[in-house]
Amino acid sequence: MSSYTAPDRYVLKKEYYIRRSNEVAELIKVSKKSILQLLADKSENVKTFVKKNKLKIGKKNDLIQIFNYYNGLF
């Protein structure tokens, strides 16, 4: 009697980091709630931008657009 063993598999995991000024980069959780908390000082502007442009927080290119927009507010 032989037992079945599942084949090995690889799981790709994306991690995103944010760095403010000269601080050490910190790992961020990619969710709507956590991104809006991170950008709390301009969260209403960011919410409007995300909705207007139909952006998805989980997509890399959309996340880049969100942070570029946020940085442009200053």
Side-chain angles (χ1 to χ4, degrees), residues 30-74:
V30 181
S31 71
K32 185 175 182 178
K33 183 179 177 181
S34 65
I35 296 298
L36 290 175
Q37 284 178 344
L38 188 64
L39 310 176
D41 58 329
K42 304 284 184 188
S43 67
E44 287 305 315
N45 297 39
V46 172
K47 277 187 210 176
T48 303
F49 177 75
V50 168
K51 188 173 184 175
K52 178 182 173 186
N53 293 288
K54 299 178 183 176
L55 301 175
K56 304 289 183 199
I57 300 282
K59 289 187 172 183
K60 178 183 170 183
N61 290 332
D62 289 358
L63 197 55
I64 291 170
Q65 286 183 50
I66 293 166
F67 278 100
N68 284 337
Y69 173 76
Y70 174 80
N71 288 333
L73 293 174
F74 292 96

Side-chain angles (χ1 to χ4, degrees), residues 22-33:
N22 292 328
E23 297 177 12
V24 175
E26 62 181 277
L27 178 66
I28 61 171
K29 182 179 178 182
V30 181
S31 71
K32 185 175 182 178
K33 183 179 177 181

Side-chain angles (χ1 to χ4, degrees), residues 11-26:
V11 177
L12 298 177
K13 182 179 175 185
K14 294 180 184 179
E15 291 183 339
Y16 295 95
Y17 293 82
I18 186 169
R19 184 173 155 222
R20 296 176 188 227
S21 299
N22 292 328
E23 297 177 12
V24 175
E26 62 181 277

